[in-house]
Amino acid sequence: MKNIIIASTSTVYGGEPLDYILEELQSLFQDTKEILFIPYARPGGITHDAYTNRIASVFSKINKTVKGIHEFENASQAILQAKGIYVGGGNTFVLVSQLYKNDCIHNLKMAINEGVPYLGTSAGSNICGLTMSTTNDMPIVYPPSFKTLGFVPFNINPHYLDPIENSKHMGETRETRIKEFHHYNTHPVVGLREGSWLQVKGSEIQLKGTLKARVFEYNQDAYEIETNTFLNELT
Amino acid sequence: MKNIIIASTSTVYGGEPLDYILEELQSLFQDTKEILFIPYARPGGITHDAYTNRIASVFSKINKTVKGIHEFENASQAILQAKGIYVGGGNTFVLVSQLYKNDCIHNLKMAINEGVPYLGTSAGSNICGLTMSTTNDMPIVYPPSFKTLGFVPFNINPHYLDPIENSKHMGETRETRIKEFHHYNTHPVVGLREGSWLQVKGSEIQLKGTLKARVFEYNQDAYEIETNTFLNELT
């Protein structure tokens, strides 16, 4: 049975990485001491080693050890041996390109659908949707496909951002962008504000954290959902 | 000889579309009465017809008529007959997908390199660079390539946005995103603030408008350039 946390961000403003969600992670990863970390998204372009070290120091707070997938000879095989997986944030295009290049997509789907606990934050959450087409990231590399893991039957927009009042910038708001998405795609999008996450347990999908989320369905007005709402029927 | 305006945005805050640059357009398009408009980027998902009508009413102010490329049976051929071309803003992924689908890339390069006057705004400016990899847009469709027209030997970041002071949002700043780009790509990026444009005449590339622009070169600190600076040597 699927056991997944899909978090908007690793870090909330003023906080330390993952501190706002550490209790949940203790529960998510209760049956494993070691977590396989996938650092492919490389935030700010940092190396896989540096990123993995940073995450290891966070997980040491709950007595977990962390090993980076790049430390294994065969990334795809490493996934099949993992007892818990974390895919961190950074650039989604870089992440998805690397997952395809290292033939990780199929095994990730298989492992997580069979119940290996999975944590995604930011880019690592975006790939839990059907496609990466609602990422906020810059397309700095060209991935072989925008199709992602489909752990939920909709798309994720992490770091969901409400329109900035009195902004004089003429770029599109996040809502406008997601509405444009629905001119070419029909599946729903869940905009997760920073500090929110989706908890997936088997076929149950629940919004957690203290904030509302914003849901965009094809041919409907966007709407807000309260925390603890179940999204099991959203397809 | 190339004769191009690459503008950050069609509309500056509080203004009407293209009004801040209308005099320049009169000069750019002085030798033609009719402009071929490419509405493929579909801002907000509006139809090609609606977008073309909107642009026609703007150009009527300087006594130009506008015809949308979608009104021609063969888009690629229409480009070869055009005496002036405008590619408007919207979603760069949608624009580039459609340009490839309708086999427009080659003919656009040929026509503009031979001197057909070209105006690009926003997405229409982004495609003047070597690749679309520094667009700000959401990847709502999957284009066959990120390679674009290469009218200048660097990339464009339109709607360049300085970091927002006191922001509590944890998403990457524009500068961070462009720095990440340089972990995977080596060509320069010019961040054009809204109200700025590049004027390309033959081999001369000059920053115009009242604002500075921000230049990002591989393995260098980003720097500001004053208006009227020439970028002929930036490669």
Side-chain angles (χ1 to χ4, degrees), chain B residues 7 33 132 204:
Chain B
K33 284 284 292 175
M132 57 166 286
E204 304 224 305

Short mmCIF file of all heavy atoms in Angstrom, two decimals, chain B residues 7 33 132 204:
data_model
loop_
_atom_site.label_atom_id
_atom_site.label_comp_id
_atom_site.label_asym_id
_atom_site.label_seq_id
_atom_site.Cartn_x
_atom_site.Cartn_y
_atom_site.Cartn_z
N ALA B 7 11.88 42.73 -27.17
CA ALA B 7 11.38 43.50 -26.02
C ALA B 7 11.00 42.58 -24.86
O ALA B 7 10.44 41.50 -25.06
CB ALA B 7 10.17 44.34 -26.44
N LYS B 33 3.33 48.02 -44.94
CA LYS B 33 2.01 48.42 -44.43
C LYS B 33 1.39 47.26 -43.65
O LYS B 33 0.53 47.45 -42.81
CB LYS B 33 1.07 48.76 -45.60
CG LYS B 33 1.30 50.11 -46.26
CD LYS B 33 0.76 51.25 -45.41
CE LYS B 33 -0.80 51.21 -45.35
NZ LYS B 33 -1.30 52.25 -44.43
N MET B 132 15.25 28.23 -25.61
CA MET B 132 14.19 28.78 -24.77
C MET B 132 14.41 28.45 -23.30
O MET B 132 13.51 28.63 -22.48
CB MET B 132 12.83 28.28 -25.24
CG MET B 132 12.69 26.77 -25.28
SD MET B 132 10.96 26.21 -25.44
CE MET B 132 10.35 26.53 -23.79
N GLU B 204 25.08 44.69 -34.88
CA GLU B 204 25.03 45.53 -33.68
C GLU B 204 23.83 45.18 -32.81
O GLU B 204 22.70 45.10 -33.30
CB GLU B 204 24.95 47.00 -34.09
CG GLU B 204 26.09 47.45 -35.00
CD GLU B 204 26.67 48.79 -34.60
OE1 GLU B 204 25.89 49.74 -34.51
OE2 GLU B 204 27.90 48.86 -34.37
#
